[in-house]
Amino acid sequence: MKLRIVCVIHNRKVADITSLKSFKKALTELENLEIWVYDNSSQDGFGGNAAEAAKYGFHYVKNGENLGLSKAYNKALWDAQAYDDIWLMFADDDTLFSSKYIGNVYKAIERRQPEIITGIVKQGDFIVSPMKKNTIFPKNREPIEEHGVYKNIYAINSGLTIKTTLLEEIGGFEERLFLDMVDYILMDELIEKGKNLILVVSGAITQKLSGLDFSDKEASKRRFKTYNKDFKEYCKLTQKPLPYRMIIPLKRRINIGIHK
């Protein structure tokens, strides 16, 4: 059994990974644990990341460009295929994972719990994942607040831990999506194949979701363009009804203040 934490970074130094302290602590406490950093940086100024990663005992992979999330994740899946009993935990570079969460994921894997594990992800006091439903209105999504085993739910990438054999079975991540909705379509595929059985374990996970932070209007507008492109492709791939296609991006436009 092996747990490999996959952290994709973009235009960020390894030393600035939000969960760096938790990752370093986990490496000293958990025997069959690895930290792999996949560097999607597309700007100059991050040439020291390889040496920095080595200093912390992390494996480092330089992608040379911004491959997007789905391709970086599939690259991590490919790199893990040499092992028969390995689990991948996906970690954003701006998400804070508690040592308790990482430890509980590790214990669940040791007990051979369901092949998919996640935690309760919060932004402030607001639960952003997991949800029981993928619907238009947030109040109808029914956030999961208790730990336990759930079927046919939606969990985002942050902290999502999944056995590689299951990922391979469903064909990995959808590369027609660049950054957004990659996790939602993964959940859709798992549900469709009857494989969406997820263990929710305890331990704090705190994330600053760029798509939900509207403080910088110009940055939010640029971020929306990326989101909107992926969202349209997701709706096309999953044949979402017209109200779903229209209302969700419209709400984001209103929040950001985009009028055209």
Side-chain angles (χ1 to χ4, degrees):
M1 180 279 293
K2 184 183 293 291
L3 172 61
R4 180 177 294 180
I5 297 177
V6 174
C7 183
V8 178
I9 63 175
H10 176 242
N11 295 341
R12 181 185 289 256
K13 294 181 179 180
V14 170
D16 293 333
I17 293 174
T18 302
S19 286
L20 180 63
K21 185 177 179 180
S22 295
F23 291 167
K24 289 164 61 179
K25 185 174 186 291
L27 272 181
T28 65
E29 295 178 344
L30 305 175
E31 181 180 0
N32 294 313
L33 174 74
E34 296 176 349
I35 313 289
W36 283 56
V37 176
Y38 287 80
D39 194 345
N40 269 353
S41 295
S42 53
Q43 297 178 1
D44 294 333
F46 301 95
N49 275 343
E52 194 73 18
K55 183 177 74 173
Y56 300 131
F58 300 168
H59 297 262
Y60 176 81
V61 179
K62 181 176 177 59
N63 292 331
E65 60 178 321
N66 188 3
L67 298 179
L69 211 53
S70 56
K71 288 185 178 180
Y73 282 172
N74 279 338
K75 195 171 183 178
L77 175 59
W78 176 263
D79 289 339
Q81 286 181 335
Y83 296 90
D84 294 328
D85 194 16
I86 185 168
W87 305 64
L88 301 181
M89 174 183 147
F90 298 98
D92 297 326
D93 58 16
D94 60 353
T95 300
L96 180 60
F97 297 95
S98 64
S99 296
K100 180 180 179 181
Y101 176 71
I102 298 172
N104 284 339
V105 168
Y106 191 87
K107 290 175 184 176
I109 292 173
E110 285 186 317
R111 294 193 298 266
R112 295 297 193 269
Q113 293 285 340
E115 294 181 313
I116 313 171
I117 304 164
T118 190
I120 295 174
V121 185
K122 291 186 176 182
Q123 183 180 39
D125 295 328
F126 177 63
I127 295 176
V128 297
S129 175
M131 300 285 176
K132 292 182 180 178
K133 302 174 184 176
N134 175 17
T135 63
I136 294 174
F137 299 107
K139 66 179 181 180
N140 296 331
R141 293 176 187 170
E142 298 183 39
I144 290 172
E145 303 180 59
E146 301 292 333
H147 312 119
V149 179
Y150 296 85
K151 188 175 182 180
N152 296 344
I153 64 174
Y154 285 80
I156 65 174
N157 289 323
S158 298
L160 183 67
T161 306
I162 184 165
K163 196 171 184 182
T164 55
T165 50
L166 178 55
L167 273 175
E168 291 165 7
E169 183 179 341
I170 64 172
F173 292 89
E174 176 54 72
E175 293 189 0
R176 282 173 287 186
L177 301 176
F178 182 77
L179 180 62
D180 293 289
M181 312 307 293
V182 173
D183 34 23
Y184 277 82
I185 202 166
L186 176 67
M187 295 296 121
D188 288 331
E189 291 170 352
L190 289 166
I191 291 170
E192 182 181 350
K193 295 180 183 300
K195 301 291 185 178
N196 187 294
L197 186 67
I198 302 179
L199 172 66
V200 180
V201 300
S202 62
I205 306 174
T206 306
Q207 184 176 40
K208 180 181 179 182
L209 294 173
S210 58
L212 298 178
D213 181 7
F214 309 120
S215 57
D216 184 334
K217 295 296 183 182
E218 291 306 314
S220 295
K221 289 179 182 180
R222 292 192 298 270
R223 182 67 183 83
F224 177 80
K225 288 181 180 180
T226 302
Y227 167 81
N228 199 39
K229 182 179 180 180
D230 279 339
F231 182 79
K232 286 180 178 179
E233 185 66 20
Y234 168 73
C235 290
K236 178 182 176 182
L237 292 170
T238 56
Q239 300 182 332
K240 286 289 184 286
L242 185 60
Y244 185 95
R245 296 176 183 229
M246 296 184 64
I247 291 176
I248 291 180
L250 177 60
K251 289 172 64 180
R252 289 210 178 202
R253 281 181 175 272
I254 293 171
N255 286 331
I256 298 169
I258 299 176
H259 303 296
K260 293 182 180 181

